[in-house]
Amino acid sequence: MQSTMQDFPLTVGMIFRHGRTVHNASEVVTFEGEKSRRATFAEVGDRAERLAAALRRLKVDVGDRVGTLAWNTQEHLEAYFAIPGIGAVLHTLNLRLFPEQLAYIINHAEDRVIILDDTLVPILAPLAPQLSTVEHYIVIGDGDASALEGGTASVHRYGELLAAEQPGYQWPEIDERAAAAMCYTSGTTGNPKGVVYSHRSTFLHSMGVGEGSAARYTDRDRMLPVVPMFHANAWGAPYAAWMAGADLLLPGRYLQCEPLSVFIETERPTCASAVPTIWTDLLHYTEQHPVDLSSLRMVVCGGSAVPRALIEAYEERFGIRMVQAWGMTETSPLAAVAWPPKDVALGTTEEMDFRSMTGRVMPGVELRIVGDDGAVLPWDGVAVGEIEVRGPWITASYYRDRTPEKFHDGWLRTGDIASVTPGGYLRITDRTKDVIKSGGEWISSVELEGHLMAHPDVAEAAVIAVPDARWDERPLACVVLRPDTEVGAEQLREFLRDRVTKWQLPERWTFIDQVPKTSVGKFDKKVLRARHADGALVVEEIG
């Protein structure tokens, strides 16, 4: 027996039409440092329509890749709708990648057009001679773009292209399983790998992000995505907020604490999303400067493990609920969010225990943990194995990159090691490549880092495995101290004594100016491992 339901395609265009009409008065605000410019959803929709027409005039066709090298701005949002809306593929370019990696992904994806901010011309211009498939550059803003001229690709101004078009572009019908967007992993080992999102996966992920077990957006919200739109579609926030009618507050390139706090005070967001380093820096900034964060009801934090001390600090000082989320480029990216269960009282230690976990698996995502022998392990909160996931917004392969070892019987192998409670709450203890294997037992670098960063004098801490003649590997704690503090290794080891078992206490310590970060703000432990191997770290041994 078949259903009587219409076979209606789930596309980015459907998201676009809904926000443009039902929530036409909601607004998009772009911060420009000293002031903001704003446009309604209806006005953004009209401009996206003109951009779509302009791209077609440049002969951009179905399946063609269009790169965007841009900050979180209104124009980037317009590209989010225009490019997949004509059947082309939105390829967000991570401006923080190494130049050779950026050139690699542009060539690997075979981008025909790149839309870029004028402030980012200096990043792309030196690479232009290497970009064999690019035919057009579209520059947002009036800044100098002469460095892109003189090559085989044409250079256009975004505003002029839109002004030359008339309203009334006829959007084509799109297959929901066609490619809508693509994003490359950050390439911590080897070349970045491409993940291609379909219209269907994007639509379903957007609904999942906005619903009650995730970000809970409504048209009463003002959403501030600090997480970049050039990485994993800003965790799905632009599409989900547009779908819900939440105002979008876009910070542009002003991500430093001072301008960001001004933007927050002025535009009064109710929710926001960013990696832990952003929230940590902002917290430290508020200790020296008066900042009004009272409009925020909830902030989503993810991208790397969120220290419990950070969650507690925002709750205690500002009454802001920090919600930890987990996912990856391959999962669109949201897959788990750490809302506490209904039977846990608010404001209790037990509630904080749940909020400091990695997250509860979302509807639309199926998850299991697997042991070294490939056996599926129980959800008992004790067994530890690698997380594997599947679902309608989980990738089944990489673009033009055969990596069968990343998949297991139709499940994506995430590389994250975790336990899962009977209620579906994850506690990630490490990455498979970062876990410390000491004397046949595992030590969680993530757990040690979280405890160290709870010390009031510690700004950041990363823990790596280093060789040990007796135990195979032991932890090396790499610590960044807060300004004007002098706490030493002995004191920090004593601080850890009541928090972890004795055999997990690090004997090796090094104090550094900052923890190196990847292009998406995660601790780059491979750099620390290389520095240790080269003898570039001053290591103190105690205990």
Side-chain angles (χ1 to χ4, degrees), residues 368 370-371 373-376 386 388-390 403-413:
R368 67 185 187 183
V370 176
D373 60 356
V376 177
E386 182 179 4
E388 296 184 348
V389 289
R390 66 181 182 183
T403 49
E405 70 278 6
K406 287 288 292 180
F407 302 91
H408 177 200
D409 295 337
W411 297 73
L412 169 72
R413 299 182 61 186

Side-chain angles (χ1 to χ4, degrees), residues 266-425:
T266 304
E267 295 298 337
R268 311 290 293 167
T270 61
C271 47
S273 56
V275 296
T277 51
I278 293 287
W279 296 121
T280 299
D281 290 348
L282 186 60
L283 182 66
H284 294 164
Y285 182 80
T286 64
E287 295 169 357
Q288 305 295 327
H289 306 83
V291 179
D292 183 3
L293 303 178
S294 61
S295 64
L296 287 164
R297 66 169 176 85
M298 182 269 291
V299 298
V300 175
C301 191
S304 59
V306 183
R308 179 173 179 145
L310 185 64
I311 300 172
E312 291 174 335
Y314 272 89
E315 183 77 36
E316 293 167 2
R317 290 189 53 190
F318 306 108
I320 295 173
R321 179 173 291 259
M322 177 171 285
V323 181
Q324 185 165 189
W326 171 79
M328 51 204 305
T329 302
E330 292 90 335
T331 65
S332 293
L334 222 57
V337 184
W339 289 104
K342 61 184 179 182
D343 56 349
V344 171
L346 300 179
T348 62
T349 300
E350 186 181 11
E351 187 213 10
M352 190 57 66
D353 290 342
F354 278 100
R355 288 172 57 188
S356 61
M357 296 182 79
T358 306
R360 192 182 206 179
V361 61
M362 289 174 55
V365 176
E366 294 192 348
L367 179 147
R368 67 185 187 183
I369 53 173
V370 176
D372 289 339
D373 60 356
V376 177
L377 302 175
W379 285 15
D380 58 8
V382 177
V384 175
E386 182 179 4
I387 298 173
E388 296 184 348
V389 289
R390 66 181 182 183
W393 60 76
I394 311 298
T395 195
S397 63
Y398 291 103
Y399 179 65
R400 294 173 55 197
D401 193 332
R402 279 187 46 76
T403 49
E405 70 278 6
K406 287 288 292 180
F407 302 91
H408 177 200
D409 295 337
W411 297 73
L412 169 72
R413 299 182 61 186
T414 67
D416 283 325
I417 302 297
S419 61
V420 188
T421 72
Y425 285 88

Side-chain angles (χ1 to χ4, degrees), residues 94-104 127 186-187 517 519 524 526-527:
N94 187 339
L95 59 92
R96 297 191 180 120
L97 289 176
F98 291 116
E100 59 270 19
Q101 291 181 321
L102 188 57
Y104 170 82
L127 306 178
S186 53
K517 310 290 194 307
S519 61
D524 197 342
K526 73 176 185 299
V527 173

Side-chain angles (χ1 to χ4, degrees), residues 513-536:
D513 294 333
Q514 62 180 3
V515 176
K517 310 290 194 307
T518 68
S519 61
V520 293
K522 297 180 182 180
F523 289 171
D524 197 342
K525 294 185 183 181
K526 73 176 185 299
V527 173
L528 289 173
R529 286 190 286 265
R531 289 180 185 173
H532 177 265
D534 293 341

Side-chain angles (χ1 to χ4, degrees), residues 43-90:
E43 291 167 337
V44 171
D46 291 345
R47 287 172 56 85
E49 186 173 276
R50 289 174 180 267
L51 176 58
L55 291 171
R56 287 294 298 124
R57 193 176 297 277
L58 294 178
K59 305 292 192 241
V60 176
D61 209 343
V62 173
D64 286 342
R65 272 72 74 196
V66 178
T68 59
L69 188 68
W71 302 102
N72 291 15
T73 64
Q74 176 186 321
E75 289 80 7
H76 205 172
L77 182 66
E78 291 161 3
Y80 260 50
F81 290 113
I83 295 167
I86 65 172
V89 183
L90 168 72

